[in-house]
Amino acid sequence: MSVKDKVIFGLMIILLAGGGYIQYTYTQVLERMNVLETKQLKHVDEVNTKFSEDLRKLNLQFIGRGKHLQRAQKDILANTDLIHRTADSLISMIEEVDYNLGEFKRATEKEFVSVKQDIQDQQDAFDSQRRRTNRRFSDIEQNITLLQNDLKKINDKLAAEEEGKKKKGRK
């Protein structure tokens, strides 16, 4: 037998062993699934029986509690009415506050316009007063310059006359 046949034969044995292992595990899994299914059915029956008994007990407990349910329903209706009345009241208050804010805004804007106009008037008056003051200051400076020139001329005339008297007195 050649090496090639030995390899093929070895692979065949490995494949058969692998297939046998897979078949064995598959069989175990199926058995386990059957056991689990049996346990599940038993458990579901127990739970359903318990649930039915508990439901029956609850039904017995709630028989005669219709008054409590009716009172709860009336309370819910009363609370709903209270909520609606309160909401209506709040809506009217909000509308009133909105109206008051609008009035305040209009009054404030009017006052700001008035204040801006007053500021502009004061600015104009200040500018006018500043021009008058500058004009007066210029006039005063001009008058001082003229007075200084006139005083200089007078002093020069007096000095010239005194010198003229001194010259006459020497002759």
Side-chain angles (χ1 to χ4, degrees), residues 132-149:
R132 269 188 258 130
T133 303
N134 285 340
R135 196 175 324 116
R136 284 182 188 158
F137 185 69
S138 293
D139 289 346
I140 290 172
E141 283 181 339
Q142 192 175 20
N143 287 339
I144 288 173
T145 304
L146 288 174
L147 286 173
Q148 286 174 344
N149 288 340

Side-chain angles (χ1 to χ4, degrees), residues 158-169:
L158 286 176
E161 283 179 12
E162 277 187 29
E163 207 169 299
K165 285 183 185 178
K166 283 185 185 178
K167 279 186 184 181
K168 279 185 185 181

Side-chain angles (χ1 to χ4, degrees), residues 32-70:
R32 179 77 177 140
M33 289 292 287
N34 287 335
V35 169
L36 287 175
E37 187 177 353
T38 306
K39 285 183 179 179
Q40 178 197 3
L41 290 174
K42 182 180 175 186
H43 181 70
V44 166
D45 287 341
E46 287 175 10
V47 169
N48 283 340
T49 304
K50 258 187 178 177
F51 179 75
S52 296
E53 182 60 27
D54 289 344
L55 186 60
R56 188 184 66 79
K57 287 179 184 177
L58 282 175
N59 282 336
L60 290 176
Q61 286 177 357
F62 283 115
I63 292 176
R65 298 211 177 180
K67 290 179 186 177
H68 298 291
L69 292 175
Q70 287 176 352

Side-chain angles (χ1 to χ4, degrees), residues 103-137:
E103 286 293 313
F104 177 74
K105 181 180 176 184
R106 285 188 286 281
T108 305
E109 286 174 354
K110 187 188 235 183
E111 288 179 21
F112 274 128
V113 166
S114 175
V115 167
K116 284 180 184 178
Q117 185 60 43
D118 290 347
I119 289 172
Q120 185 61 41
D121 291 347
Q122 290 298 322
Q123 183 68 37
D124 292 344
F126 176 76
D127 289 343
S128 174
Q129 185 64 34
R130 186 178 60 193
R131 283 192 299 274
R132 269 188 258 130
T133 303
N134 285 340
R135 196 175 324 116
R136 284 182 188 158
F137 185 69

